[in-house]
């Protein structure tokens, strides 16, 4: 495995995290996960837009221009001959003596690497089980920050319950999944939480909404309740690595017929057309 460490490509064994890196001590940094299909990054501009926005929102400078970052990521894909998989890219505020306030002097540290992985076609076909969990995260979930403890605890609760994802809610209003956006279908209309500070503005969410529009599926970017989730005809989640995955049971109760629904299938097919593959 090759590591992109700042602007250098180095071997995995040579990569070292400084104990005073603020990403390590405070989670003071931002990240992206970018899907690679057939050796090409998918929605690269959208991911870099979001990376720049996340960095701006935490008042952190980025180490390189957009062009240089793009060039480095393409070099990384090439170095590891990555065809199917994803890039993990993180940038921290850098290394400085431990103090919560920003250091007066620090250089951001970029780390990235490529992971080979196949599209989760079994999950796409058969769906997953989800549980519901209270959303205990902070109020800036739109920032893709390294602070993921809320997501980690929610996902572990799902795994402990024999499920694959935790659907989060704030006082009965569904926000998103621990690492995915959540959609429901009710009376052939697609519902998903609006892109505000309570959810990550998923790239796959945005792609899905565009595909729904193209397919003539009515869309409502409006908050919906746990009761709406439980009585939905269809539920699905979206993310860079999962694409569109049906949720066939919530808290052990089947969603609709207990099988992936027609609207979900239609959107999966449209998504596959967009990325140029078929299962
Ligand atoms: N919400 C959360 C909390 C996430 O962690 C992710 C995955 N990074 C998503 C939604 C999906 O976003 P994307 O489609 O950009 O991967």
């Amino acid at each position: 495995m090759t590591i992109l460490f700042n602007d250098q490509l180095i071997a995995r064994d040579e990569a070292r995290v400084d104990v005073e890196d603020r990403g390590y001590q405070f989670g003071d940094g931002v990240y992206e996960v970018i899907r690679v299909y057939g050796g090409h990054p998918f929605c690269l501009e959208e991911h870099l837009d979001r990376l720049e926005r996340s960095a701006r929102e935490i008042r952190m400078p980025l180490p390189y221009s957009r062009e240089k970052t793009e060039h480095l990521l393409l070099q990384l894909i090439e170095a590891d001959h990555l065809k199917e998989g994803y890039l993990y890219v993180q940038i921290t505020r850098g290394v400085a003596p431990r103090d919560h306030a920003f250091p007066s002097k620090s250089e951001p540290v970029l780390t990235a690497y490529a992971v080979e992985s196949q599209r989760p076609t079994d999950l796409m076909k058969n769906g997953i089980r989800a549980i519901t969990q209270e959303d205990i995260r902070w109020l800036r979930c739109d920032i893709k920050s390294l602070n993921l403890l809320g997501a980690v605890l929610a996902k572990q609760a799902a795994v402990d319950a024999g499920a694959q994802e935790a659907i989060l809610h704030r006082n009965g209003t569904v926000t998103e999944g621990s690492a995915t956006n959540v959609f429901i279908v009710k009376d052939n209309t697609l519902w998903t939480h609006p892109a505000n500070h309570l959810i990550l503005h998923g790239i796959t969410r945005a792609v899905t909404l565009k595909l729904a529009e193209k397919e003539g599926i009515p869309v409502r970017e409006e908050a919906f309740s746990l009761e709406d989730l439980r009585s939905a005809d269809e539920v699905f989640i979206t993310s860079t690595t999962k694409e569109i995955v049906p949720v066939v049971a919530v808290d052990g109760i089947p969603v609709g017929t207990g099988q992936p629904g027609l609207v979900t299938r239609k959107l999966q097919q449209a998504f596959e057309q967009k990325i140029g593959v078929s299962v």
Side-chain angles (χ1 to χ4, degrees), residues 31 47 50 137 144 176-181 200-205 238-240:
Y31 76 107
H47 281 284
R50 186 170 66 183
R137 303 171 306 164
K144 200 161 169 61
E176 61 180 335
S178 75
T180 58
N181 289 112
L200 185 75
H201 305 182
I203 307 294
T204 323
R205 173 187 179 281
T238 63
S239 82
T240 291

Side-chain angles (χ1 to χ4, degrees), residues 142-203:
D142 56 313
I143 300 171
K144 200 161 169 61
S145 96
L146 296 175
N147 289 273
L148 290 174
L149 208 41
V152 166
L153 293 174
K155 186 63 164 277
Q156 187 57 42
V159 170
D160 290 345
Q164 288 86 30
E165 180 58 306
I167 295 179
L168 308 176
H169 68 93
R170 285 189 195 266
N171 298 319
T173 296
V174 173
T175 49
E176 61 180 335
S178 75
T180 58
N181 289 112
V182 176
F183 291 73
I184 62 170
V185 179
K186 242 181 152 66
D187 303 325
N188 288 313
T189 297
L190 197 57
W191 293 68
T192 196
H193 195 284
N196 62 12
H197 61 293
L198 296 179
I199 67 160
L200 185 75
H201 305 182
I203 307 294

Side-chain angles (χ1 to χ4, degrees), residues 212-274:
E213 234 174 84
K214 260 199 201 159
E215 296 289 330
I217 301 164
V219 168
R220 293 179 77 159
E221 287 186 69
E222 287 172 33
F224 57 87
S225 68
L226 273 178
E227 289 81 62
D228 294 326
L229 176 76
R230 293 194 176 114
S231 61
D233 302 322
E234 302 179 32
V235 177
F236 65 83
I237 55 166
T238 63
S239 82
T240 291
T241 52
K242 297 221 160 48
E243 297 179 12
I244 298 173
V245 166
V247 175
V248 293
V250 172
D251 294 328
I253 300 160
V255 172
T257 61
Q259 298 291 322
L262 289 178
V263 175
T264 309
R265 285 280 183 247
K266 202 177 200 181
L267 289 167
Q268 285 180 315
Q269 277 161 15
F271 196 94
E272 285 184 342
Q273 253 181 7
K274 185 169 171 66

